[in-house]
Amino acid sequence: MSHLEKVFETTDLLLRTEHSLCPGCGEPVALRTILELIGELGLRERTICVAGIGCYTAFPMIMDVDVLQALHGRAPSVATGVKRVRPDAFVFTMQGDGDMVSEGLQEVLHAAARGEKFTAVVFNNAVFGETGGHMTATTVLGQHTKTTIGGRDRERHGNPIRIAELIAQLDGSAYVARAAVHTPSGIKLARQYLHDAFRTQLDGKGFSLVEILTMCPTDWFVPPDQGPAFLERNLVPIYPLGVIKH
Amino acid sequence: MEREIVFTGIGGQGIQLMAKVLAQAAVDAGRHAMLFGLYGGAMRGGPSESTVVIGDAPIEAPPIVPACWSIVAMHPSALPALLAKLRPGGLLFANETLVDVALDGRAVVPVPATRLAEESGNVMGAGMVMLGAFVAHTAVVPLERVVAAMRAALPPHRTRMADANAALLARGAERVRTAQHAGAA
Amino acid sequence: MSERALMEGSAAMAESAVRAGCRFYAGYPITPSTEILEYMSVRLPEVGGTCMNAESEIEAIGMVWGAAGCGVRSMIASTGQGISLMQESFAELANAQIPIVAVNMCRGQADYFQATRGGGHGDYRFIVLAPASAQEAVDLAQLAFHLADEWRNPVMIMGDFLLSHTSELVEFPAAAFPEPSAKPWAVTGANGRRGITLSPLGPPEKLSTDIAAALGAATAKHAAIRAAETRAETAHLDDAELVVVAFGFPGRFARYAVRLARERGLRVGFVRPISLWPFPRDVVATAAQRARAVAVFELNAGQMIEDVELAVRGRVPVHAIGGISHDHSGFGVGPLLNVDYILERIEAVYAA
């Protein structure tokens, strides 16, 4: 064992401690991808993250960048205030589907329509993770949650919202894409989309949004190793991957 | 000593502008002033009232005064309710074109403001005639200050009215002086 | 250098805020606070600031949160209804110790509880200042930004329709309070230091999780604020048999009525709390010690009277001489804003 080749290391921006999220959760790898890009693009000293409320609210204390913690649903208006007074800052929001699409839908729509020059990242796992598995506005039809025990039903619970497509319709959005982190190639694409969204902001072109489908095996009621397959089978058909607007 | 002046009339008569110009002229003359207008949503024809208080120190009176030193009545509609606030010996200025000046034997300064404005070809300027008469009679502020404040108060789309308004202010002042001379003679 | 001008209270307050270094404002139009939004939309761009005509009160307070979190002096205004929508953010801004100035141009005075108790969750307090003239609005706007930074706590200025719309001669002081040069708590980008987290949920240091300590730090200062920041105007207390307590612009009507009562030979004194929180409890208590009775004039169903009763502690009777007062507009300019009426009530209580 005299010649060990380094094939992997985590970014310096992720403080060396273990995250506290569930086994099989997709959010940590999405966060690491974001922080790696911030490091590579040399943005650390300019970065202000505006965090929403969800499982990922555990991240601000392990991310070595400045974070402004917002209320549930309110990150887009808070990020608007930040970017307007600090136009040279690199500003991104971190929200879940419950935060952005359920609680704060109006916020993200208006921020996009105004063309606010920050990047919105939404981790979409189609469920309220932190509360223990309840229906959000993106829960897909047929999906079992604690408030849709028999599966989400169109008549009783309404239909899921495709936030990326909604944002893409607004004139102020400049870049919109959807990725998923359930496969290595998916993570690679997520990284590409995030990069392009960040560049959109840095070039002053307008609002950018990347929706990232993430696994939540705990609240999908499946074993951790079956999260990726569940995502592929249930979420990808409703939330197609790819660049939606650029 | 605080002087409370209540302007009353209907929308379109320039009530709010008269009060604003008087308050601004008082401030420009180095005095303290307070101004509060009350008017409904109707831009024309609805009741319109404005209170100005002028003093030599920060104004103590609230903007809705319990009693006043003078009333300037451009229209009779809201006048009866207001008269109770006029202190004994207080001055009532009445636009005699529209207001019946035979009021309970009170001392009234009659000014045919609407008629004089009409004769000048500017019926909308009746308020300026009355304001000119008011300052000439009371001397609370010099007329020149009022003219200057009027010019400054006009919004951009009305600045072409400035010279005509100045003439109306002078007309009102002249009317009072003539009447005073006639009274003295 | 100071300047004087005849200005409406709302415009005077807004101008004073700009002179105090306010560079960000967000608002949603609602009577009678709209004039501040209109003024800021013209004035802030002139000084390199930003005014946002937000799509809702909730988004407006979010925007102010973002700007203030960056260390920029920021202000928001609304009336009680709109302020109700901001309460969740108000509570957490206080917990996160982010200084903002919030203006409530109330419709009447029914928002006393909302302002002094707060409509949000948790242990928070706002410092609340209530001006009674355009000049005091100017002075308290300067003070509000200073206190917000000094204590790292939101400050509310409580006005009403009359304050907003009455024009008075105001003088702008040269520079009452300089803005702090360093705000180490603000998020700026982690330049030359570790990243920080500005949050109501915990301390700024990374990897720390002591929520109780963070909330403790946000509330431990309340006692010090009570001791240092109590303000009140008083008149004729030396020989007062009856003490009239009133606040804000309606307090000016009460003060005038007290003056008229004095002219009629009645020994009536006057207390006007300028800081509603902290409430000038000692001032009221001391005044009540020498009096036979206390009368509270406020345009609501009886809110500040509870603070007065807490101060008086049952020593003398406390009478309500105000009440709900509205005209058809609902903006709070009602029939009780009448010096003669207040004088009658004072005389009745005095004779009792």
Side-chain angles (χ1 to χ4, degrees), chain C residues 243-268:
Chain C
V243 176
V244 174
V245 187
F247 73 97
F249 218 97
R252 190 162 167 172
F253 287 72
R255 185 177 64 196
Y256 203 75
V258 167
R259 200 179 89 181
L260 296 181
R262 279 268 154 189
E263 285 172 9
R264 294 183 183 187
L266 276 56
R267 291 183 174 178
V268 181

Side-chain angles (χ1 to χ4, degrees), chain C residues 234-306:
Chain C
T234 60
H236 315 298
L237 290 181
D238 288 346
D239 63 347
E241 294 181 37
L242 173 68
V243 176
V244 174
V245 187
F247 73 97
F249 218 97
R252 190 162 167 172
F253 287 72
R255 185 177 64 196
Y256 203 75
V258 167
R259 200 179 89 181
L260 296 181
R262 279 268 154 189
E263 285 172 9
R264 294 183 183 187
L266 276 56
R267 291 183 174 178
V268 181
F270 180 66
V271 176
R272 181 174 63 86
I274 295 170
S275 58
L276 303 184
W277 193 86
F279 187 77
R281 205 176 274 188
D282 293 347
V283 176
V284 172
T286 307
Q289 264 171 4
R290 292 174 233 149
R292 287 189 285 119
V294 174
V296 178
F297 178 75
E298 55 182 333
L299 296 179
N300 55 45
Q303 299 189 16
M304 182 179 71
I305 195 168
E306 293 191 1

